[in-house]
Every structure is written in structure tokens, then in C-alpha cells.
Amino acid sequence: MGKGRVEAFTDGVVAIIITIMVLELKVPHGEDFSALAPLWPIFFSYVLSFINVGIYWNNLHNMFHTVQRVDGRVLWANLHLLFWLSLMPVTTAFMGENHFAPVPVAVYGVDLALCAFAYYILVVALRHLHGVDTTFAKAVGRDRKGKISLAIYIAGVLLTSVNQWIGVALYVAVAMIWFVPDRRFERLIEK
């Protein structure tokens, strides 16, 4: 199967996810800067989630650019990732509206970890379909960054029971790791 439909569908779902997240932001009541202060947890949660969803969208774009086709396994793996990403508006609101209480921070981290795991499954499905000697497989390599991110998310969830700010800090750290553009795919495509 061609990859065009899965790319278009993924782009549409990601756009809807971001739209739902931004609709959760409420207009502050008041006309000065002090009216914004109570909204900082919700806004910070939104920014973190926007960055995370954007990172996945960017990586999916790069990945699908290097593959030639998809199959049923890839379609289901992509849907699996989109499922966990589609929960991001709920876990984002849960964390932000509860001012980073431990349980909402842990739930948010579980969602991030499940997104990372689903992304790994998608990578495995694409590698299986295209083989180990393709541009895709060479660009992904061992995907250390992805595996390290999953480990950090799990650590963040577990350490939230000690202090929720440790979890938040680890989630931010992963976003910062990926915020630097991943040039693995671009380097191989340029050759």
C-alpha cells in the first residue's frame, strides 16, 4: 500500500489533538497580569504537551518520508500511537487543572510512556516491512534516543510518588532532548 493516506490521516489526527488541547485554555477573568497567574499550571501543561505532540508529528513526518510503503501491521502500529496521542488533551488537562498533583502527573507520564512505547512498535513494524539495509533502517539505527526517552518517562512516573516535580522535570528533560531537531533522517536523505 502507498503511504499517502496514512500520512494524511496522521496529520489530521495530530491537528485535531492540538486543537482540542488549545480549546481547553480558558480566557482569564480580569484585565491585568494578575488574572493570568492562576492559569500558569494549565498553560505550562499545554506548552509541554504541544511540544510533545509536535515532536511526534515531526518524527513521523521524517520517518514516513524515508519509507516507500505501509502494510496492515504499520497501519495498526500507527493507530496505536495515535490512540495514546489522542489521550494527551485529557491527561494534559488533568495535570494542569489539578496544579501538578502527584496522581495527575503520574497519569500524564504514563501517557507519555505509552506514546513512546507505541512509537517504538511503529519503528519495529516499519523496519520489518522495509528491511535492515534501507534508508529508514539506517536512519533509525538503534534508536537510543527513543529507548532512553521511554526509560526516563518510566522513571518520571515512578519518582512522582517521591515528588511530583521530579516527574515533571524528567518529562521536560525528554522534551528538551527531542526539541533539538533529529537530523538522522535528513542526513541520509541528503546523500
Side-chain angles (χ1 to χ4, degrees):
M1 289 180 264
K3 61 181 181 171
R5 290 195 67 204
V6 73
E7 288 177 299
F9 180 74
T10 300
D11 287 349
V13 171
V14 168
I16 291 168
I17 290 167
I18 289 173
T19 301
I20 291 169
M21 285 191 314
V22 78
L23 291 175
E24 289 294 320
L25 297 177
K26 304 300 179 210
V27 177
H29 299 291
E31 54 189 42
D32 54 10
F33 288 112
S34 64
L36 297 173
L39 300 177
W40 81 265
I42 295 167
F43 184 70
F44 179 81
S45 297
Y46 168 75
V47 169
L48 182 58
S49 293
F50 183 91
I51 290 169
N52 275 297
V53 171
I55 288 166
Y56 278 105
W57 177 79
N58 193 346
N59 287 332
L60 288 168
H61 171 75
N62 286 331
M63 276 194 340
F64 282 116
H65 189 70
T66 61
V67 300
Q68 303 305 314
R69 63 192 187 286
V70 297
D71 63 2
R73 184 181 301 162
V74 171
L75 292 175
W76 280 108
N78 190 62
L79 280 172
H80 180 228
L81 173 58
L82 292 176
F83 173 78
W84 295 113
L85 284 173
S86 73
L87 292 178
M88 194 67 61
V90 176
T91 59
T92 300
F94 187 44
M95 183 172 70
E97 290 178 16
N98 289 294
H99 298 249
F100 301 98
V103 170
V105 170
V107 169
Y108 183 77
V110 168
D111 189 21
L112 289 173
L114 290 169
C115 287
F117 183 66
Y119 180 82
Y120 173 75
I121 290 171
L122 178 59
V123 167
V124 169
L126 284 166
R127 187 180 287 142
H128 177 76
L129 178 64
H130 289 86
V132 294
D133 293 327
T134 60
T135 301
F136 169 77
K138 290 175 185 173
V140 170
R142 292 190 174 137
D143 196 24
R144 280 180 244 146
K145 203 168 164 180
K147 292 173 185 169
I148 290 169
S149 298
L150 178 58
I152 294 171
Y153 286 143
I154 292 169
V157 170
L158 297 173
L159 291 171
T160 296
S161 63
V162 175
N163 183 313
Q164 70 268 31
W165 295 108
I166 296 172
V168 172
L170 290 173
Y171 308 154
V172 169
V174 173
M176 288 173 55
I177 290 168
W178 285 96
F179 195 73
V180 175
D182 188 356
R183 302 251 342 178
R184 295 179 293 177
F185 292 97
E186 292 174 23
R187 277 190 226 118
L188 286 173
I189 292 170
E190 290 171 357
K191 288 184 179 180

